[in-house]
Amino acid sequence: MSRDYQRTKRNPWILPHNLYRQTLYAIRDYNRIKEQYEYLIMGQPAEMDGQPKGTQTGDPTAAIAAKAERLHNQLRAIDDAKKVIPEEYLKGVWDNIVYGTAYPIDADRTTYWRHKSHFVYEVAKNRTFL
């Protein structure tokens, strides 16, 4: 598994430790969020509370729309942050964060580390944590 800490030496994209971890886990959860969002968009039956008469209150359509909007914002924050990474480093950074694989050997580890730091910082900024 990759290291889940930030190097502080000359890092212009330093985040508080808890925010850094939250952002990493949001990125790692990208595939599940995307599946859930697509499921909501395709149509989801209204959730019942298990009571025989069906005591569902409120507006289930509005609740589904609000949840879909929240998931879409999370996906957009990550997708927008991917644009700050050059294309040749994107797969290495993404695989390192999501799957914990080692960086490819086509560039130095510090190059990948720099792009990873910038990517995580941009995701946190796009999710309006900063």
Side-chain angles (χ1 to χ4, degrees):
M1 195 64 176
S2 64
R3 296 180 179 155
D4 288 341
Y5 64 87
Q6 301 177 90
R7 295 176 177 246
T8 57
K9 188 177 180 181
R10 295 182 298 212
N11 183 1
W13 304 293
I14 194 77
L15 295 171
H17 181 73
N18 290 337
L19 177 58
Y20 180 76
R21 300 289 278 223
Q22 285 178 2
T23 307
L24 277 181
Y25 287 120
I27 295 168
R28 289 178 182 154
D29 203 23
Y30 180 83
N31 293 329
R32 185 195 63 82
I33 292 171
K34 190 169 187 175
E35 288 174 8
Q36 191 174 11
Y37 176 70
E38 290 170 357
Y39 176 72
L40 286 175
I41 295 301
M42 295 304 284
Q44 171 185 350
E47 295 179 14
M48 300 301 288
D49 62 358
Q51 298 297 318
K53 300 278 186 190
T55 59
Q56 186 175 15
T57 59
D59 188 1
T61 305
I64 291 172
K67 185 174 183 179
E69 179 67 22
R70 183 178 51 82
L71 293 175
H72 177 69
N73 288 342
Q74 290 180 6
L75 292 172
R76 189 179 51 204
I78 295 170
D79 289 336
D80 288 348
K82 283 182 180 180
K83 296 174 186 171
V84 301
I85 303 174
E87 190 66 34
E88 60 268 16
Y89 301 116
L90 181 60
K91 182 172 176 11
V93 169
W94 184 260
D95 288 346
N96 180 264
I97 293 173
V98 176
Y99 305 114
T101 60
Y103 295 126
I105 57 172
D106 59 351
D108 190 44
R109 288 182 307 135
T110 56
T111 302
Y112 279 102
W113 164 81
R114 190 175 311 112
H115 291 298
K116 178 182 174 181
S117 294
H118 191 190
F119 174 64
V120 172
Y121 181 84
E122 288 296 320
V123 171
K125 186 172 81 173
N126 291 346
R127 291 181 73 203
T128 64
F129 283 142
L130 297 179

